[in-house]
Amino acid sequence: MRSVHVALAVRETDPGAVFDRVRRFAAYPELVPVVRAVTVHEVSAEEETSDWEVYFRNGILSWTEEDRFDRDELSIVFSQLDGDFESFTGSWRVSRLGSGCRVDFDAEFDFGIPSLAGILDPVAVRVFKETIARIVDSLFGGAAVIDDEAVADALAVSR
């Protein structure tokens, strides 16, 4: 099982507004080309399912996840219900940071192919980190990557 963590600082001062913007997954394909499609199926104000298609290597990864929203805690917890991963879970968390906000994305995933883990997993970690950084940067008209120089450099190149 691989873990991914990326943290970004945004200038937006209202954590609730940041949370509300991050949770709009259906807008992600307009923000970054690697996200091919996201279809959201609302269950309630606190829960939805979403179908994802993401370009990865020479193909498309697809999955359906359950998303649980906790506005009081400014967190989103997701877990794959069906799809290309053996397992895929994670969270988004928003918190105040100085005069702005911090957005943390964490995920754990397993493709379920041990013989290819050494090749696929490092690529997937990089793609996840860079994609999340680009999404947050696009959502807020600029973001600073916290404590990950490689992701910060990749974000700077993509601007």
Side-chain angles (χ1 to χ4, degrees), residues 36-92:
R36 181 176 185 223
V38 180
T39 304
V40 172
H41 311 279
E42 186 173 336
V43 175
S44 70
E46 295 82 31
E47 184 181 340
E48 67 187 24
T49 60
S50 51
D51 302 318
W52 293 74
E53 292 181 359
V54 175
Y55 294 106
F56 180 71
R57 296 183 50 100
N58 295 324
I60 296 171
L61 282 174
S62 61
W63 68 92
T64 298
E65 66 183 44
E66 175 182 63
D67 307 305
R68 295 184 182 271
F69 304 101
D70 186 335
R71 191 145 197 314
D72 293 336
E73 294 295 320
L74 301 174
S75 68
I76 303 165
V77 176
F78 62 88
S79 100
Q80 176 185 269
L81 299 172
D82 185 42
D84 291 336
F85 296 96
E86 179 76 18
S87 66
F88 179 45
T89 61
S91 66
W92 293 84

Side-chain angles (χ1 to χ4, degrees), residues 28-38 52-63 123-124 126-135:
Y28 286 14
E30 298 168 13
L31 302 175
V32 292
V34 72
V35 179
R36 181 176 185 223
V38 180
W52 293 74
E53 292 181 359
V54 175
Y55 294 106
F56 180 71
R57 296 183 50 100
N58 295 324
I60 296 171
L61 282 174
S62 61
W63 68 92
V123 174
R126 180 183 53 78
V127 169
F128 270 124
K129 287 182 171 189
E130 291 177 6
T131 300
I132 296 301
R134 288 182 181 118
I135 287 168

Side-chain angles (χ1 to χ4, degrees), residues 101-123:
C101 291
R102 176 180 171 128
V103 177
D104 285 276
F105 174 86
D106 290 283
E108 290 187 342
F109 68 91
D110 185 352
F111 283 109
I113 309 171
S115 62
L116 295 178
I119 297 167
L120 292 178
D121 290 1
V123 174

